[in-house]
Amino acid sequence: MRNTRDTQLLFELSKAGRRAVELPACDVPQEPIADLIPARLLATCDLPLPELTEPQLVRHYANLSTLNMSVDTHFYPLGSCTMKYNPKRNERLAALPGIVDLHPYQPDESLQGLLALLYGLQEMLSEIAGLDAVSLQPAAGAHGELTALMVAAAYFREQGERRTKILTPDSAHGTNPASASMCGFDAVTVNSTSAGFVDLEDLKQKLDDQVAVFMITNPNTLGLFDPYVRQIADLVHERGGLIYLDGANMNAILGVTRPGDFGTDMMHYNPHKTFSGPHGGGGPGAGPIAVTAQLEPYLPSPTIVKKGNGADACYQLDYDRPRSIGRVRSFFGNTGVLVRAYCYIMTHGPDGLRRVAENAVLNANYLLSRLQPLLPVPHGPRCAHEFVATALTLKQQRGVTAMDVVKRLLDFGYHAPTVYFPLTVKEAIMVEPTETESKETLDAFAETLRQIVDEPPETLHAAPLMTPVSRPDEVAAARKPVLRWREAEQPSQVEG
Ligand SMILES: *Cc1c(COP(=O)(O)O)cnc(C)c1O
């Protein structure tokens, strides 16, 4: 139950004369300092700062911190985003003084521990991908896409080829066509079949010698592993194009199959998704890319290389990369996220990583079968690590939208799933439970959704009813005050 008074502004709580700290009286003369600074530079304004006691301040911020949802406090079935639990052990390791107290301008010799760790991560990511070389520089998945497309552009330039198009399936994440455009290519959409896979006939029609790259997500955003992926790769390769794998869904296939084995030439990872780096609220993330040997010369500079072996081994930053696209990120990339990924992979080991994927897929299928009777899953009855349900029937029969359903989930303490994505499913509700949730959590979530779909449409249109802010981006919000706590004391609405 939440007391909405706690969300009052500090200015509203202010009472003249209150203080959180009291400083001793100044015991040095002040005037001479004022004399040294020209009068025009001295502040004269009297800032109306709030005046509060320390407990008021602490409660204000402590309460504010509970108004949001997080993986530590709530189930977060945000499809495509892989919001799995972030093990505290990785936080502790990433915060060790030997990591956080380094300065990026230190000489390589004094950074051997960190360089060894990052080199080890490169090697592991290369093995998991089934590809030859890795760059850790890109700062997010989308940045990895852009970087890899720049690598592809450099490769084709050196081949003396001018290819202008990038193909993306209609179920692709918006970052795919966006990265293509940012890199100066024309993004061309390839349709899906009604079964949710890449339409091979449409692909053949759109595939010509102008196509540089086909960007595929596999399993795709419908949570389906495309069984024709090998055939797709062959078709693209026959025309001289490259296959890019959007690796955001690696959680489904870790240790089960390797993108390189099904024809991928380059891919990105989202360590903040697959390898449990904390995310949400915009990052920081990371977007390491893995590529085949033929694309390796074009990777960003510098890369981390190992010289010598055994006791003589040392690690260096290699800037001698004349064909490289250059730097895409300062220093070593978002090191903190990369260290957590390293810890996560080392903790699980090869068999553990495979079990991560198996349990992610098991959890998703369990939840799919529990939700299917309430919200149909058009591309069921089985899925990989996530599935896309639809509220279309609910909308047609009772006027209740996907948005209404997921907004109501907030009132019951669940983060809302992704909605209206992928665009190929109407009234889409995209659910990814991840492997870190228990059966009890999944059951309770399914039971809550069962209650919600039977609630009166008016309740659902107005949801969420118990959060301090309702729907700031909705037309409905224009009709009623957005900040509920401003609506003079409404106990009926704030009981939760
Ligand atoms: C999250 C995601 C991306 C983008 O990754 P960021 O790290 O958020 O930039 C790309 N594709 C898919 C399928 C994703 O889920």
Side-chain angles (χ1 to χ4, degrees):
M1 220 163 298
R2 177 173 290 156
N3 180 356
T4 51
R5 278 162 196 262
D6 295 336
T7 56
Q8 271 179 292
L9 302 179
L10 290 180
F11 288 95
E12 292 166 329
L13 294 168
S14 173
K15 283 263 156 53
R18 287 200 178 148
R19 289 289 180 275
V21 274
E22 232 171 317
L23 298 175
C26 184
D27 61 355
V28 291
Q30 294 183 5
E31 284 70 34
I33 297 170
D35 288 347
L36 289 173
I37 302 170
R40 65 188 167 81
L41 296 181
L42 284 175
T44 49
C45 58
D46 197 8
L47 284 180
L49 295 175
E51 300 176 73
L52 303 133
T53 64
E54 181 171 324
Q56 278 185 303
L57 259 186
V58 170
R59 283 180 195 151
H60 177 76
Y61 286 110
N63 285 322
L64 271 189
S65 76
T66 66
L67 295 184
N68 209 345
M69 289 190 167
S70 71
V71 171
D72 280 357
T73 53
H74 296 85
F75 177 39
Y76 219 111
L78 193 59
S80 205
C81 292
T82 316
M83 301 295 289
K84 60 170 84 172
Y85 174 72
N86 316 135
K88 295 297 162 261
R89 182 168 180 270
N90 299 349
E91 298 304 309
R92 195 160 50 75
L93 295 172
L96 287 175
I99 306 260
V100 290
D101 291 347
L102 297 177
H103 194 283
Y105 280 131
Q106 279 177 230
D108 295 359
E109 305 86 86
S110 68
L111 289 172
Q112 286 299 300
L114 179 69
L115 293 180
L117 186 154
L118 294 177
Y119 181 84
L121 181 61
Q122 283 181 184
E123 297 278 283
M124 294 190 296
L125 293 181
S126 166
E127 181 172 342
I128 296 168
L131 291 167
D132 305 302
V134 166
S135 167
L136 301 176
Q137 271 188 34
H143 194 207
E145 293 170 22
L146 178 66
T147 306
L149 294 183
M150 288 162 70
V151 164
Y155 163 77
F156 285 116
R157 234 181 350 257
E158 268 206 13
Q159 306 282 309
E161 288 191 59
R162 213 183 103 70
R163 294 183 176 240
T164 55
K165 293 185 210 165
I166 304 276
L167 303 184
T168 61
D170 53 7
S171 61
H173 195 270
T175 50
N176 291 187
S179 298
S181 298
M182 277 193 76
C183 201
F185 289 102
D186 296 324
V188 179
T189 305
V190 176
N191 299 330
S192 301
T193 60
S194 55
F197 304 123
V198 171
D199 183 336
L200 290 176
E201 291 315 309
D202 195 46
L203 172 64
K204 283 178 198 159
Q205 278 197 4
K206 289 171 180 162
L207 198 55
D208 58 25
D209 299 339
Q210 293 296 298
V211 172
V213 180
F214 182 76
M215 298 177 87
I216 189 169
T217 310
N218 202 23
N220 63 24
T221 60
L222 293 167
L224 303 175
F225 190 90
D226 199 314
Y228 307 108
V229 65
R230 198 61 255 190
Q231 212 172 324
I232 293 167
D234 289 345
L235 284 170
V236 173
H237 288 149
E238 273 163 29
R239 303 302 292 261
L242 299 171
I243 294 285
Y244 180 86
L245 178 93
D246 178 330
N249 294 342
M250 282 301 285
N251 214 44
I253 57 173
L254 280 178
V256 178
T257 179
R258 306 192 306 171
D261 296 343
F262 55 75
T264 300
D265 299 291
M266 42 186 190
M267 66 169 287
H268 77 257
Y269 285 96
N270 303 67
H272 45 291
K273 297 179 183 176
T274 313
F275 303 126
S276 82
H279 63 302
I289 57 171
V291 300
T292 55
Q294 67 171 354
L295 298 169
E296 190 275 337
Y298 311 97
L299 282 180
S301 176
T303 52
I304 299 159
V305 294
K306 183 179 178 185
K307 296 273 159 74
N309 265 315
D312 294 334
C314 77
Y315 299 88
Q316 288 169 4
L317 293 173
D318 180 13
Y319 290 88
D320 185 19
R321 302 180 51 77
R323 296 152 79 193
S324 161
I325 59 165
R327 227 185 220 301
V328 297
R329 180 83 175 90
S330 52
F331 307 119
F332 316 110
N334 282 342
T335 315
V337 187
L338 300 172
V339 172
R340 288 174 179 85
Y342 179 88
C343 298
Y344 183 86
I345 296 171
M346 290 297 275
T347 305
H348 284 84
D351 296 337
L353 285 186
R354 188 187 169 105
R355 277 202 303 280
V356 163
E358 288 168 351
N359 287 327
V361 171
L362 178 64
N363 269 4
N365 278 283
Y366 178 71
L367 197 52
L368 185 158
S369 52
R370 292 227 39 181
L371 296 192
Q372 168 90 39
L374 312 169
L375 293 164
V377 178
H379 298 92
R382 293 275 72 92
C383 65
H385 64 304
E386 65 189 358
F387 59 91
V388 182
T390 174
L392 188 60
T393 323
L394 210 54
K395 186 176 178 187
Q396 286 164 345
Q397 292 175 355
R398 304 177 57 219
V400 170
T401 64
M403 182 70 90
D404 294 338
V405 172
V406 305
K407 288 287 186 192
R408 184 67 173 140
L409 277 169
L410 300 176
D411 287 332
F412 291 90
Y414 294 104
H415 192 280
T418 302
V419 282
Y420 302 104
F421 175 74
L423 305 175
T424 45
V425 175
K426 291 203 173 100
E427 295 298 321
I429 300 181
M430 185 186 206
V431 179
E432 179 180 11
T434 82
E435 72 285 1
T436 59
E437 298 302 328
S438 66
K439 179 170 177 294
E440 291 76 22
T441 301
L442 303 183
D443 285 337
F445 179 72
E447 179 53 28
T448 303
L449 264 175
R450 198 187 57 71
Q451 279 176 39
I452 288 177
V453 296
D454 286 339
E455 284 191 312
E458 309 75 58
T459 307
L460 298 173
H461 297 324
L465 304 175
M466 279 166 301
T467 54
V469 177
S470 185
R471 300 193 193 188
D473 56 347
E474 290 282 290
V475 185
R479 280 189 260 113
K480 57 185 179 208
V482 168
L483 293 174
R484 290 180 181 279
W485 55 266
R486 285 202 188 282
E487 294 173 41
E489 319 305 325
Q490 288 197 348
S492 62
Q493 289 211 2
V494 298
E495 297 298 309

